[in-house]
Amino acid sequence: MSTAGGSVLDDLTARGLVAHSTDLEALRAEMDAGPIVYYVGFDPTAPSLHVGNLLQILTARRLQLAGHRPLLLVGGSTGLIGDPKETGERVMNTRETVATWVERIRDQVVRFVDLEGENGATMVNNLDWTESLSTIDFLRDIGKHFPVNRMLARDVVSSRLESGISYTEFSYVLLQSMDYLELHRRHGCVLQTGGSDQWGNITAGVELVRRSEGRRVHALATPLITKADGTKFGKTESGTVWLDRELMSPYAFYQSWIQAEDTKVGEYLKQFTFVPVDEVDALMAEHAAAPGRRLAQRRLAAEVTALVHGQGEVDAAELASTALFGRGELAELPEDTLAAALGEAGVVELPGDATLTDALLETGLVDSRSAARRAVCEGGAYVNNSRVDDAEAPLASLDALHGSWLVLRRGKRAVAGIRRVPSRLWPGSHRTDLTLLRSSE
């Protein structure tokens, strides 16, 4: 254990995962002296964690693999309040909603750490030590350690002073700081990790432990992960990149990593995977020689999707990525993977009496009926990867995947999905009437 502290901190630094630290060398010395207890917290302000949270979970996993013991906190009490945002007051969720989200997030977190063994992870909930706490005890024991002038100077507070900030959100930092104090008392916790956007809250906890217990503890923050243009990573055109498959399909999750920019993919490989740093460097050299092959993006997507959803979903996503463009067997795709893949490409619902020409036009693969007929006549139209030669063939005459899905492709790269529905169920009021469509060119 004498080298675990140094090696894991060196690895975190090499991966670009250390943005701030209270005293990295003092932390290194404490780690080298023996295993430490550390914690990272997650507020249940949504029904799922996202990729920003994933970075914190994986950082906790790295420390556990080095022999240290993690405490994983899901904030049943802080989730009822919510960390202040610069944009305005949060909408408070009900106690029942927060309790449900606590359980969902706990289930997500435990998949990434070991719960058994000498350094097995422990799940904790800050509602356990706040629910019965009286207001008087909170003010006397916690509030007295927080100078108001320092609280007012915090960026998120000062930015809200003019527009207004509630006492509830203003006091959030006290609640989060109390977590560190309680975990230090109960479990001997001496390190909190988190994102750099939480640095003020994290260091407030360090200071509370010092003032209350006279003990020096540590803090370490990872950087804000951004895209090449400086905007926050983890957002796509369709929204947040969630870890919950009910909110984001494994295929869409895989695709969000495939789309990583060349200038950032090396960073993401180091920060979000366990691929050794020297192997990442070698891969990036190979990628630079032939960026069009997207070797780095494919490795990144495979590694992170396997961590979150399992290798089976990686295999399905890779098969879908090739099958949609005629280089794999569409019939082998599970229906949920096919639906998710077509959802990314674009799906149109059409009745069985719609024709192939209707479908090409409705999906936007062509811009006119004459262009649709020309594409078919020239051999450039495919349904389920088979070339079609009858532009007026009704969709009902075509073999659908899983009973209702058709993969429509024009040329090599333009793909769209058709979900075939009975005519009586077709929402014609929301689309161009087929009779009118066919009468126009």
Side-chain angles (χ1 to χ4, degrees):
M1 197 62 219
S2 60
T3 61
S7 63
V8 71
L9 291 180
D10 289 342
D11 184 60
L12 292 177
T13 301
R15 291 178 181 276
L17 288 171
V18 180
H20 308 295
S21 173
T22 45
D23 187 334
L24 205 58
E25 291 312 308
L27 175 60
R28 182 189 301 274
E30 190 150 357
M31 285 180 160
D32 285 345
I36 67 165
V37 179
Y38 62 97
Y39 98 94
V40 61
F42 306 96
D43 276 345
T45 54
S48 171
L49 299 177
H50 49 72
V51 294
N53 304 127
L54 178 62
L55 188 70
Q56 305 312 317
I57 300 172
L58 297 181
T59 301
R61 176 63 176 161
R62 296 182 203 280
L63 291 167
Q64 186 182 39
L65 289 172
H68 305 291
R69 185 164 75 87
L71 305 172
L72 302 170
L73 183 149
V74 182
S77 64
T78 43
L80 290 168
I81 304 301
D83 196 16
K85 299 187 300 182
E86 292 187 0
T87 53
E89 198 79 7
R90 287 182 181 271
V91 175
M92 291 190 190
N93 296 300
T94 66
R95 288 180 177 272
E96 293 75 20
T97 296
V98 171
T100 299
W101 290 352
V102 164
E103 293 306 313
R104 289 181 62 132
I105 290 173
R106 281 172 58 97
D107 290 343
Q108 287 182 335
V109 170
V110 296
R111 300 202 313 265
F112 296 91
V113 293
D114 291 331
L115 300 178
E116 306 297 331
E118 291 184 4
N119 68 329
T122 300
M123 298 297 300
V124 292
N125 184 341
N126 55 21
L127 195 62
D128 292 344
W129 54 81
T130 56
E131 192 167 32
S132 61
L133 183 66
S134 74
T135 303
I136 293 298
D137 289 339
F138 178 67
L139 293 174
R140 283 177 57 87
D141 298 339
I142 304 300
K144 68 178 180 179
H145 295 298
F146 286 82
V148 171
N149 59 321
R150 291 191 187 177
M151 295 175 67
L152 289 172
R154 298 178 67 224
D155 289 343
V156 70
V157 173
S158 61
S159 68
R160 291 271 302 278
L161 287 179
E162 187 172 335
S163 60
I165 182 170
S166 69
Y167 181 75
T168 301
E169 289 197 0
F170 180 68
S171 302
Y172 176 90
V173 64
L174 278 71
L175 284 175
Q176 183 169 320
S177 298
M178 189 169 63
D179 292 342
Y180 204 162
L181 178 60
E182 286 294 326
L183 294 177
H184 178 71
R185 288 172 172 171
R186 295 174 181 224
H187 299 276
C189 180
V190 295
L191 170 66
Q192 181 183 359
T193 64
S196 58
D197 58 340
Q198 288 290 308
W199 187 241
N201 289 332
I202 294 172
T203 54
V206 170
E207 181 66 9
L208 177 60
V209 174
R210 186 191 68 79
R211 287 171 175 258
S212 181
E213 302 295 292
R215 176 71 162 86
R216 182 183 188 184
V217 293
H218 307 279
L220 186 149
T222 60
L224 180 67
I225 307 301
T226 62
K227 301 177 185 177
D229 62 4
T231 58
K232 196 172 184 178
F233 177 73
K235 296 283 187 179
T236 66
E237 290 183 6
S238 58
T240 300
V241 179
W242 299 106
L243 305 190
D244 190 324
R245 65 185 300 140
E246 294 179 12
L247 298 180
M248 186 176 214
S249 72
Y251 178 83
F253 183 86
Y254 176 92
Q255 288 298 317
S256 72
W257 297 95
I258 281 286
Q259 294 161 12
E261 300 150 304
D262 287 335
T263 56
K264 302 295 286 188
V265 65
E267 293 178 28
Y268 301 159
L269 273 164
K270 291 177 181 178
Q271 293 164 335
F272 287 94
T273 80
F274 291 89
V275 178
V277 171
D278 56 354
E279 188 176 336
V280 173
D281 291 338
L283 177 61
M284 290 309 299
E286 188 177 0
H287 173 79
R293 295 173 63 192
R294 301 184 71 76
L295 295 175
Q297 283 89 347
R298 294 208 302 270
R299 180 68 180 275
L300 174 67
E303 291 283 342
V304 183
T305 304
L307 281 170
V308 175
H309 294 296
Q311 184 59 42
E313 294 295 353
V314 176
D315 297 340
E318 290 177 344
L319 176 59
S321 297
T322 57
L324 288 186
F325 298 97
R327 300 187 300 275
E329 183 52 62
L330 285 167
E332 294 179 7
L333 291 178
E335 184 173 8
D336 58 348
T337 302
L338 176 64
L342 291 178
E344 293 291 301
V347 175
V348 171
E349 291 187 343
L350 287 174
D353 57 353
T355 66
L356 181 58
T357 296
D358 298 329
L360 286 165
L361 188 56
E362 278 280 271
T363 56
L365 293 180
V366 297
D367 56 13
S368 68
R369 296 182 65 79
S370 58
R373 298 189 192 100
R374 187 163 55 252
V376 173
C377 181
E378 293 174 353
Y382 301 79
V383 173
N384 298 342
N385 289 337
S386 295
R387 184 178 283 123
V388 288
D389 55 14
D390 182 0
E392 300 308 315
L395 299 184
S397 68
L398 304 173
D399 291 333
L401 300 165
H402 302 288
S404 60
W405 296 95
L406 299 169
V407 178
L408 190 60
R409 176 161 54 90
R410 183 175 67 83
K412 292 183 178 180
R413 297 186 179 278
V415 173
I418 298 292
R419 184 168 177 269
R420 199 171 61 193
V421 297
S423 298
R424 60 185 176 80
L425 298 179
W426 185 59
S429 60
H430 300 295
R431 302 189 187 278
T432 305
D433 181 86
L434 286 178
T435 302
L436 294 176
L437 184 67
R438 291 166 182 161
S439 66
S440 62
E441 288 294 330

